[in-house]
Amino acid sequence: MKKSLLVATLLASAVAAQAQTTDTLKKIKDTGTVVMGVRGSSGALSDTLGEGKYVGYHVELCQRAIDDIGKQLGKKIEVKYQEVTSANRIPLVQNGTVDIECGSTTNNDARAKDVAFAHTAYVEEVRILTKVNNGIKGIADLNGKTVATTTGTTSVQLLRKHERATGVDFKEVFGKDHADSFQLLESGRADAFVMDGQIVAGLASKAKNPADFHMVGEVLSVEPIAIMVRKDDPAFLAAVNKTIDGLEKSGEIAKIYDKWFMQPIPPTNTKVSLPASEATKWAWAHPNNMTTEELAKAAKK
C-alpha cells in the first residue's frame, strides 16, 4: 500500500513538473510572434531609437536567434519589443510577459535560481565613472561622497564588498534607469556613477560635454552579461545557444562586437570605443553560461 502510494505521489509530481515546463517554441510557432525584453539606456548592448525601435549588440544577437528559430519553424517571426528595467526584468521573464530578455543582465548564482541564461557573448567590467575635475581617482576617494547607481542592479553591492572599500563611507542615490543615474552625476547630485563599463562609457559619450567624464580606479568586478530566458525550457535555450555558438565559432561575433562597440552607433552616432576584453574573447572561444561566481573561481585556478 505504501509502495503504491509512493509511486502515485511520484507520478503526480512528474506530471506537475511537466505542466510547469514552458514551451516557448510552441508559443512562437502558434502566434508567429516573440516578445523581446529590451533596455532603453544600456549603451551598446541595448538602446532606444524612439518610436518603439531598439538596437544594440544583444538586441542584434537576439534578432539573429529569432531569425534562425523562424527558419527552424518554417515561418517569419514578428518581434514585439517590451522595454524592461533593472527592477522588473526578471519577474517579466518569469511570468511569461517577456520571452527573451536582451539587455544588460548579469548572470549570477542568485538570478540563475529564477531564470536561465544563454551562453555568454559579453563579459563586463564594473567601473566608477566620475567628472574629470572632481579629484576622485579610486575607491578611497569616495569617502564622504554620493554614489549613484541604478535600482535593481548589483554594482554598489560589489563596491561595498571590494577589499579597498574597507572604512569608506559613502551615500547611495538611485536612478530609475541608467540614463537617470547618469543624470544624477551630470547634474552634480552624485559625485560618481558605478555601473557596467560599457554603459557608463556609452552614456558619457552622448553627454553634452563627453570630455568632462572619465572612468577611474579599480575594476570592481568581472561579470558575464547574458541573454535571459525562462527556466525549464531547454529546447528554447538550446535554440538561442545554437545561434550564439555558431557566431562565436565562425568568428562573426567579433565583427558584430566591432560594429556596436568600436564604430559610431545610433541614436547619436557616437563611439563607445571599448575593445573586446580578454575575458570576452575567452567566452567566445569557450561557449559557456558560467555565473559571475563560477567565473571568479575558474579565474583563480
Side-chain angles (χ1 to χ4, degrees), residues 202-214:
L203 289 167
S205 73
K206 295 185 288 186
K208 295 177 182 177
N209 298 296
D212 290 349
F213 303 91
H214 63 168

Side-chain angles (χ1 to χ4, degrees), residues 119 238 240-251 284 287-288:
H119 289 165
V240 175
N241 281 335
K242 183 178 180 180
T243 296
I244 294 173
D245 294 354
L247 293 171
E248 291 176 344
K249 185 176 181 179
S250 69
W284 294 345
N288 71 88

Side-chain angles (χ1 to χ4, degrees), residues 57 61 121 244 247-258 284:
Y57 177 69
L61 294 184
I244 294 173
L247 293 171
E248 291 176 344
K249 185 176 181 179
S250 69
E252 190 172 357
I253 194 83
K255 296 177 182 178
I256 300 172
Y257 184 96
D258 182 83
W284 294 345

Side-chain angles (χ1 to χ4, degrees), residues 12 14 53 59 79 106 131 137 149 183 187 200 213 218 229 234 239:
K53 297 179 181 179
V59 175
V79 174
T106 298
K131 289 185 177 179
K137 295 182 173 61
T149 195
Q183 283 295 318
S187 65
V200 297
F213 303 91
E218 307 80 357
V229 299

